[in-house]
Amino acid sequence: MVTLEGNDLLEGAYYYPRPYPGEKIPILVLNFRRLCAAWSPELKKTLYFEKKPDDENLKRVREINLLHVYDWLAGREGVIELTDSEFEQFMEVYETFLERLGEIQYLRRKKRKKNGKHF
């Protein structure tokens, strides 16, 4: 299992920035990487792994792109899980940010029944 300590991620409970509809959160990207994630019903939280886990008790095992960010409004570090398509959109914004600097803003928009992540 991956811990979020030091260069990794935060240990224990994770903070997931969730802006309200129409709200934009300025973020600073600290790190990003590809991991496996799974929901643990016993612990009632998401666990992150370097390799796909074999535990049968875990639910919703999936590969994700995990952003480790600093939320300027909340004043704390958090994590954002991205699908491959959301990560591609993020990388376009991130490359532009690296060229021109400025600020990256995170927001969520309703896509059908789910909220999509946008930068």
Side-chain angles (χ1 to χ4, degrees), residues 24 44 51 110:
K24 296 178 182 179
K44 294 185 173 44
K51 297 178 183 174
K110 196 79 163 173

Coordinates of all heavy atoms in Angstrom, one line a residue, residues 24 44 51 110:
K24 N -14.4 28.2 -8.1 CA -13.1 27.8 -8.6 C -12.1 27.9 -7.5 O -12.1 28.8 -6.7 CB -12.6 28.7 -9.7 CG -13.5 28.7 -11.0 CD -13.0 29.6 -12.0 CE -13.9 29.6 -13.2 NZ -13.5 30.6 -14.2
K44 N -13.6 2.2 5.6 CA -14.4 3.2 5.1 C -13.6 4.4 4.5 O -13.8 5.6 4.8 CB -15.4 3.8 6.1 CG -16.4 2.7 6.6 CD -17.4 3.3 7.5 CE -18.5 2.5 7.9 NZ -18.4 1.1 8.2
K51 N 0.7 -1.5 -7.1 CA 0.3 -2.6 -8.0 C -1.1 -3.0 -7.6 O -1.6 -2.7 -6.5 CB 1.2 -3.8 -7.8 CG 2.6 -3.5 -8.3 CD 3.5 -4.7 -8.1 CE 4.9 -4.3 -8.4 NZ 5.9 -5.4 -8.1
K110 N -21.1 19.5 -13.8 CA -22.0 18.4 -13.9 C -22.0 17.8 -15.4 O -22.1 18.5 -16.3 CB -23.4 18.9 -13.6 CG -24.4 17.7 -13.3 CD -24.2 17.3 -11.9 CE -25.4 16.5 -11.5 NZ -25.2 15.9 -10.2

